[in-house]
Amino acid sequence: NEFHVQKTSDVYSWYTEMVMDDVAYDLCIANGDEWNSSTKKAYLERIKLSGYHIYACIDTEVQAMVDEIYTDLSQVPDTKSAQQLLSAIVVIDNRTGDVVAVAGSVGEKTAFDATNHATEDDPKQTGSAMKPVAVYGPAFESGLVSPVTCLPDLPLSYDGGRFPNNVTRRYNVGNSVFDGIVESNNTISVHTLKKIGLDYAYEFASQKFRIDGLVKEEKLESGRTISDIGYAPLGLGALTFGVSVEDMANAYATFPNGGEFREARTYTKVYDSDGNLILDNTQETEQILSEKANKYINYCLRGVVKNNSAVNLGATAAAGKTGTTSDARDRWFCGYTDYYTAAVWCGYKQPEEIKVTSGTGSNPACTMWAKVMKKLHEGKDWKDISNTSGMKSFSVCIDSGGLATSACSADPRGDRVQSVKAYNEDRPTKSCDKHITVDWCTAGDGAANEYCRLAGATIT
């Protein structure tokens, strides 16, 4: 779509402003200038006045559907706060990897350069939405972990204490990686991180998924050093500064694209008023996940949606992950179908706990994501997003990580067996060695011996 920025008005759509910002930045860097607030203003003015021909990636039909939801405040879930709940969304077309629609906030846009909650100008902590990008994607690619891997469902002894807590404050001693993802289990996430290494996870998220805003190491004026190379930032999404909705959508779009990362863009080319090409925004791509690793992540994230009716689209299969920050001040859902990927954030201008009123669902980001995505998929054919061909279902004991036996199901605490799919090379090599079946003497309330039988005691 070709468009010309009109200099007669200072109020532009969220998408137009994103294009202007992206073009301004690329022009600034191409000319060897330092990008700051002054140069940004200068290059934006140049775009307004120079008659550039900019070819944008917007899909006007998709954008209209997003606007129908996001400009109508009655579509935004009600909360118990006196503040208006805010939200932002970025939609990527999986056929091209391009950004085709954006909303930087809710309600009508009435000002130029208003705060766009979808871009790096307003980074947010992500909560568990970061786990597929910084933990499980890298873990599956490393080959050290698969969905059938069982890890301790217990906190680590870390930094002088016990970390982390599960949201429910319940721990199952052991759990599969698959169930840990579906249940958004914090302990499984950090134990996975421990297995693959923090440095590896950080480099994968920042270099492969290209999540800007992650901090490798930074020394503050106070002398304190901050870093996102840690269990809380990577494993729980408790980031130092946060990341953008755009970056999260871009990262998740890798999964429906067969593990190939594509640099999402808002424009393709820019010509000057004389028809000279001044910017060629060729898309960068890189295969960052193997076929197996990508099928594993799709299988697990499809399980998340099957377990969450709020984001079940019905018309087609979907996959994705929720995110909740400390005290529920930020709520996320990043998800995808075969057609589109969309990331949604919800929160307030002045952060506080989000408490939705009854009947609107517990996570407003899920609600907004589903409203938009249901519109985008009206009339489209049902397509699966999780291809498990070549994978087999294995019954594993979550305590030992071995193949389950009949004794694993007879545990007094309840059934300890989970059925999880994986490739045959990732199946457990041994059977469970934690559970055994014994005869029990009810009279002595202990393991039965020959004297129990001689005495005629009841044996179970």
Side-chain angles (χ1 to χ4, degrees):
N1 293 278
E2 180 184 356
F3 71 91
H4 304 269
V5 178
Q6 302 293 320
K7 62 176 181 278
T8 55
S9 173
D10 278 339
V11 179
Y12 305 107
S13 70
W14 294 114
Y15 198 102
T16 298
E17 282 196 357
M18 278 185 70
V19 173
M20 291 171 65
D21 285 351
D22 290 347
V23 171
Y25 176 82
D26 290 344
L27 284 172
C28 177
I29 300 304
N31 290 332
D33 294 331
E34 182 182 350
W35 180 251
N36 54 45
S37 58
S38 297
T39 54
K40 176 182 176 179
K41 182 177 180 181
Y43 276 99
L44 287 176
E45 285 301 311
R46 181 185 296 188
I47 292 170
K48 290 180 185 180
L49 302 173
S50 296
Y52 291 144
H53 298 255
I54 303 173
Y55 289 84
C57 300
I58 188 172
D59 184 321
T60 53
E61 291 184 0
V62 175
Q63 185 65 62
M65 294 179 190
V66 170
D67 290 341
E68 185 178 345
I69 300 297
Y70 269 77
T71 59
D72 183 359
L73 292 179
S74 70
Q75 297 282 355
V76 182
D78 291 326
T79 69
K80 298 180 180 180
S81 173
Q83 297 187 72
Q84 171 64 54
L85 181 67
L86 304 177
S87 184
I89 185 171
V90 172
V91 181
I92 291 174
D93 189 329
N94 292 335
R95 295 169 300 173
T96 63
D98 294 332
V99 176
V100 292
V102 172
S105 192
V106 297
E108 294 289 343
K109 188 173 182 295
T110 59
F112 172 69
D113 204 23
T115 299
N116 187 335
H117 300 291
T119 69
E120 61 184 14
D121 290 338
D122 190 34
K124 306 291 185 183
Q125 291 194 6
T126 62
S128 293
M130 183 59 67
K131 291 174 181 176
V133 176
V135 182
Y136 297 114
F140 292 153
E141 184 63 20
S142 74
L144 297 173
V145 171
S146 79
V148 79
T149 301
C150 293
L151 297 169
D153 183 7
L154 294 168
L156 291 170
S157 296
Y158 177 72
D159 201 23
R162 304 290 287 170
F163 171 89
N165 293 317
N166 287 332
V167 174
T168 60
R169 296 301 194 272
R170 294 179 180 178
Y171 307 93
N172 205 26
V173 182
N175 216 334
S176 69
V177 167
F178 174 81
D179 201 62
I181 295 174
V182 170
E183 297 295 332
S184 200
N185 186 305
N186 289 334
T187 55
I188 297 298
S189 180
V190 298
H191 278 283
T192 302
L193 269 177
K194 183 180 180 183
K195 195 172 186 69
I196 64 175
L198 292 171
D199 289 332
Y200 169 78
Y202 174 86
E203 292 299 324
F204 208 103
S206 61
Q207 301 302 314
K208 298 296 185 180
F209 283 109
R210 305 189 194 183
I211 299 292
D212 293 331
L214 294 180
V215 179
K216 189 167 189 176
E217 186 175 277
E218 185 174 324
K219 195 166 187 177
L220 304 178
E221 291 183 359
S222 64
R224 185 169 67 93
T225 300
I226 56 176
S227 174
D228 282 328
I229 305 177
Y231 289 112
L234 298 175
L236 279 63
L239 304 169
T240 302
F241 298 121
V243 299
S244 69
V245 177
E246 183 180 13
D247 273 1
M248 292 299 287
N250 199 179
Y252 271 74
T254 302
F255 306 139
N257 192 41
E260 183 180 70
F261 177 89
R262 293 177 293 194
E263 190 73 51
R265 56 188 178 175
T266 57
Y267 77 94
T268 58
K269 297 180 186 294
V270 179
Y271 294 86
D272 65 19
S273 57
D274 295 323
N276 299 308
L277 179 66
I278 58 173
L279 285 177
D280 183 356
N281 194 21
T282 301
Q283 195 176 57
E284 296 182 12
T285 65
E286 181 185 0
Q287 190 73 36
I288 64 172
L289 294 175
S290 66
E291 179 185 6
K292 183 171 81 168
N294 199 64
K295 286 175 73 171
Y296 278 169
I297 201 76
N298 284 333
Y299 164 58
C300 294
L301 296 185
R302 176 71 179 130
V304 172
V305 170
K306 287 180 178 180
N307 200 44
N308 184 349
S309 61
V311 287
N312 193 330
L313 300 180
T316 192
K321 186 72 188 72
T322 56
T324 304
T325 61
S326 297
D327 300 322
R329 295 183 173 192
D330 302 271
R331 302 302 300 267
W332 288 77
F333 188 76
C334 303
Y336 52 95
T337 67
D338 187 68
Y339 298 97
Y340 297 102
T341 298
V344 172
W345 164 87
C346 289
Y348 296 113
K349 184 176 181 180
Q350 299 296 326
E352 63 172 283
E353 183 180 357
I354 300 172
K355 296 180 179 179
V356 297
T357 56
S358 60
T360 60
S362 62
N363 185 341
C366 290
T367 302
M368 297 299 285
W369 186 89
K371 285 186 175 185
V372 169
M373 293 291 268
K374 283 179 180 178
K375 279 191 168 296
L376 298 188
H377 291 83
E378 288 177 357
K380 286 184 166 39
D381 294 334
W382 196 96
K383 291 186 178 181
D384 203 351
I385 197 65
S386 174
N387 176 10
T388 58
S389 61
M391 297 166 62
K392 297 180 179 180
S393 184
F394 298 104
S395 294
V396 293
C397 172
I398 59 176
D399 291 321
S400 67
L403 293 171
T405 68
S406 58
C408 304
S409 299
D411 191 300
R413 297 168 296 174
D415 193 348
R416 307 298 287 171
V417 180
Q418 286 184 14
S419 180
V420 183
K421 289 183 177 180
Y423 282 94
N424 194 57
E425 62 263 31
D426 293 323
R427 70 190 293 272
T429 58
K430 297 180 180 180
S431 295
C432 173
D433 59 0
K434 301 293 185 184
H435 293 97
I436 58 172
T437 301
V438 298
D439 289 336
W440 192 261
C441 175
T442 56
D445 196 25
N449 56 35
E450 65 272 22
Y451 299 108
C452 302
R453 295 180 176 85
L454 288 173
T458 302
I459 307 297
T460 60

